Short mmCIF file of all heavy atoms in Angstrom, two decimals:
data_model
loop_
_atom_site.label_atom_id
_atom_site.label_comp_id
_atom_site.label_asym_id
_atom_site.label_seq_id
_atom_site.Cartn_x
_atom_site.Cartn_y
_atom_site.Cartn_z
N SER A 12 -3.72 1.31 7.18
CA SER A 12 -2.52 2.14 7.31
C SER A 12 -1.83 1.91 8.63
O SER A 12 -2.49 1.88 9.68
CB SER A 12 -2.91 3.62 7.29
OG SER A 12 -3.79 3.87 6.26
N LYS A 16 2.54 -3.55 7.43
CA LYS A 16 2.64 -4.39 6.23
C LYS A 16 3.94 -4.19 5.47
O LYS A 16 4.60 -5.14 5.08
CB LYS A 16 1.54 -4.08 5.21
CG LYS A 16 0.16 -4.08 5.67
CD LYS A 16 -0.79 -3.71 4.55
CE LYS A 16 -0.61 -2.32 3.98
NZ LYS A 16 -1.12 -1.21 4.78
N THR A 34 2.18 -1.34 -3.31
CA THR A 34 1.18 -0.79 -4.25
C THR A 34 0.68 0.58 -3.79
O THR A 34 0.21 1.37 -4.60
CB THR A 34 -0.02 -1.75 -4.43
OG1 THR A 34 -0.69 -1.91 -3.17
CG2 THR A 34 0.43 -3.09 -4.96
N GLY A 35 0.79 0.86 -2.48
CA GLY A 35 0.36 2.17 -1.97
C GLY A 35 1.15 3.30 -2.63
O GLY A 35 0.62 4.39 -2.87
N ALA A 36 2.43 3.02 -2.96
CA ALA A 36 3.28 4.04 -3.59
C ALA A 36 2.67 4.50 -4.93
O ALA A 36 2.78 5.67 -5.32
CB ALA A 36 4.68 3.48 -3.83
N TYR A 38 -0.60 4.61 -5.71
CA TYR A 38 -1.73 5.52 -5.44
C TYR A 38 -1.20 6.88 -4.96
O TYR A 38 -1.75 7.93 -5.28
CB TYR A 38 -2.68 4.90 -4.41
CG TYR A 38 -3.41 3.70 -4.97
CD1 TYR A 38 -2.91 2.41 -4.79
CD2 TYR A 38 -4.56 3.86 -5.73
CE1 TYR A 38 -3.56 1.30 -5.33
CE2 TYR A 38 -5.22 2.76 -6.26
CZ TYR A 38 -4.71 1.50 -6.06
OH TYR A 38 -5.35 0.41 -6.61
N ARG A 39 -0.12 6.83 -4.18
CA ARG A 39 0.48 8.07 -3.71
C ARG A 39 1.01 8.90 -4.88
O ARG A 39 0.84 10.13 -4.92
CB ARG A 39 1.62 7.77 -2.72
CG ARG A 39 1.11 7.31 -1.38
CD ARG A 39 2.21 6.82 -0.46
NE ARG A 39 1.66 6.43 0.82
CZ ARG A 39 1.51 7.23 1.87
NH1 ARG A 39 1.95 8.48 1.81
NH2 ARG A 39 0.95 6.81 2.97
N ARG A 90 5.97 10.29 0.41
CA ARG A 90 5.83 9.91 1.83
C ARG A 90 5.45 11.09 2.69
O ARG A 90 5.28 10.95 3.90
CB ARG A 90 7.15 9.32 2.36
CG ARG A 90 7.60 8.08 1.69
CD ARG A 90 6.69 6.91 1.98
NE ARG A 90 6.64 6.02 0.83
CZ ARG A 90 5.70 5.15 0.59
NH1 ARG A 90 4.69 5.02 1.40
NH2 ARG A 90 5.74 4.40 -0.49
N SER A 95 -0.81 11.38 2.08
CA SER A 95 -1.54 10.19 2.54
C SER A 95 -3.05 10.28 2.30
O SER A 95 -3.65 9.37 1.73
CB SER A 95 -1.28 9.96 4.03
OG SER A 95 0.09 9.75 4.24
N ALA A 98 -3.91 10.35 -1.36
CA ALA A 98 -3.82 9.03 -1.98
C ALA A 98 -5.07 8.21 -1.68
O ALA A 98 -5.60 7.51 -2.55
CB ALA A 98 -2.58 8.30 -1.46
N SER A 99 -5.54 8.34 -0.44
CA SER A 99 -6.76 7.62 -0.07
C SER A 99 -7.93 8.13 -0.93
O SER A 99 -8.75 7.35 -1.40
CB SER A 99 -7.03 7.85 1.42
OG SER A 99 -8.17 7.18 1.82
N SER A 102 -7.65 6.92 -4.53
CA SER A 102 -7.79 5.47 -4.60
C SER A 102 -9.25 5.02 -4.60
O SER A 102 -9.55 3.87 -4.86
CB SER A 102 -7.03 4.78 -3.46
OG SER A 102 -7.76 4.86 -2.26
N ARG A 108 -8.36 2.90 -9.94
CA ARG A 108 -8.18 1.49 -9.52
C ARG A 108 -7.98 0.59 -10.73
O ARG A 108 -7.16 -0.32 -10.71
CB ARG A 108 -9.36 1.02 -8.68
CG ARG A 108 -9.56 1.84 -7.41
CD ARG A 108 -10.14 1.03 -6.29
NE ARG A 108 -9.17 0.10 -5.75
CZ ARG A 108 -8.27 0.40 -4.83
NH1 ARG A 108 -8.21 1.61 -4.32
NH2 ARG A 108 -7.42 -0.51 -4.41
N GLY A 128 -0.88 -3.98 0.17
CA GLY A 128 -1.89 -3.00 -0.21
C GLY A 128 -3.16 -3.16 0.59
O GLY A 128 -3.13 -3.41 1.80
N ARG A 129 -4.30 -2.97 -0.10
CA ARG A 129 -5.60 -3.05 0.57
C ARG A 129 -6.48 -4.12 -0.06
O ARG A 129 -7.35 -4.68 0.59
CB ARG A 129 -6.34 -1.70 0.45
CG ARG A 129 -5.60 -0.48 0.98
CD ARG A 129 -5.45 -0.55 2.48
NE ARG A 129 -4.92 0.69 3.06
CZ ARG A 129 -3.67 1.12 2.95
NH1 ARG A 129 -2.79 0.41 2.28
NH2 ARG A 129 -3.29 2.24 3.53
N ASP A 130 -6.25 -4.37 -1.35
CA ASP A 130 -7.14 -5.24 -2.11
C ASP A 130 -6.35 -6.33 -2.86
O ASP A 130 -6.81 -6.83 -3.87
CB ASP A 130 -7.90 -4.40 -3.15
CG ASP A 130 -6.95 -3.69 -4.12
OD1 ASP A 130 -5.76 -3.53 -3.77
OD2 ASP A 130 -7.38 -3.31 -5.21
N ILE A 131 -5.17 -6.65 -2.36
CA ILE A 131 -4.33 -7.60 -3.11
C ILE A 131 -4.94 -9.00 -3.08
O ILE A 131 -5.16 -9.62 -4.14
CB ILE A 131 -2.87 -7.63 -2.57
CG1 ILE A 131 -2.28 -6.20 -2.48
CG2 ILE A 131 -1.99 -8.53 -3.44
CD1 ILE A 131 -2.27 -5.41 -3.76
N ARG A 179 -8.88 7.63 7.10
CA ARG A 179 -8.41 6.82 5.96
C ARG A 179 -8.97 5.41 6.05
O ARG A 179 -9.36 4.82 5.05
CB ARG A 179 -6.88 6.77 5.94
CG ARG A 179 -6.28 8.01 5.33
CD ARG A 179 -5.05 7.68 4.52
NE ARG A 179 -3.87 7.44 5.33
CZ ARG A 179 -2.85 6.68 4.94
NH1 ARG A 179 -2.90 6.05 3.78
NH2 ARG A 179 -1.80 6.55 5.71
N ASP A 183 -11.02 3.99 3.07
CA ASP A 183 -10.48 2.83 2.35
C ASP A 183 -11.42 1.62 2.43
O ASP A 183 -11.48 0.82 1.51
CB ASP A 183 -9.09 2.46 2.89
CG ASP A 183 -8.04 3.55 2.63
OD1 ASP A 183 -8.33 4.47 1.83
OD2 ASP A 183 -6.95 3.48 3.22
N ARG A 186 -15.18 2.54 0.35
CA ARG A 186 -15.32 2.94 -1.06
C ARG A 186 -16.03 1.83 -1.80
O ARG A 186 -16.01 0.65 -1.40
CB ARG A 186 -13.95 3.27 -1.67
CG ARG A 186 -13.04 2.10 -1.69
CD ARG A 186 -11.76 2.38 -2.46
NE ARG A 186 -10.92 1.22 -2.36
CZ ARG A 186 -9.74 1.19 -1.78
NH1 ARG A 186 -9.22 2.29 -1.28
NH2 ARG A 186 -9.06 0.07 -1.73
O1 DC B 1 -0.27 1.85 2.05
P1 DC B 1 -0.27 3.38 1.87
O2 DC B 1 -0.59 4.12 3.12
O3 DC B 1 0.98 3.88 1.22
O4 DC B 1 -1.47 3.65 0.82
C1 DC B 1 -1.89 4.95 0.49
C2 DC B 1 -3.36 4.91 0.09
O5 DC B 1 -3.52 4.17 -1.12
C3 DC B 1 -4.30 4.23 1.11
O6 DC B 1 -4.95 5.15 1.95
C4 DC B 1 -5.30 3.48 0.28
C5 DC B 1 -4.69 3.38 -1.07
N1 DC B 1 -4.36 2.01 -1.48
C6 DC B 1 -5.37 1.26 -2.04
O7 DC B 1 -6.50 1.72 -2.12
N2 DC B 1 -5.10 0.02 -2.53
C7 DC B 1 -3.88 -0.51 -2.43
N3 DC B 1 -3.66 -1.73 -2.94
C8 DC B 1 -2.83 0.24 -1.82
C9 DC B 1 -3.12 1.49 -1.34
#
Side-chain angles (χ1 to χ4, degrees):
S12 313
K16 308 178 297 284
T34 63
Y38 292 93
R39 286 172 179 270
R90 298 292 148 200
S95 299
S99 181
S102 78
R108 301 211 72 85
R129 303 293 189 288
D130 59 340
I131 308 303
R179 280 216 282 154
D183 295 347
R186 62 172 177 243

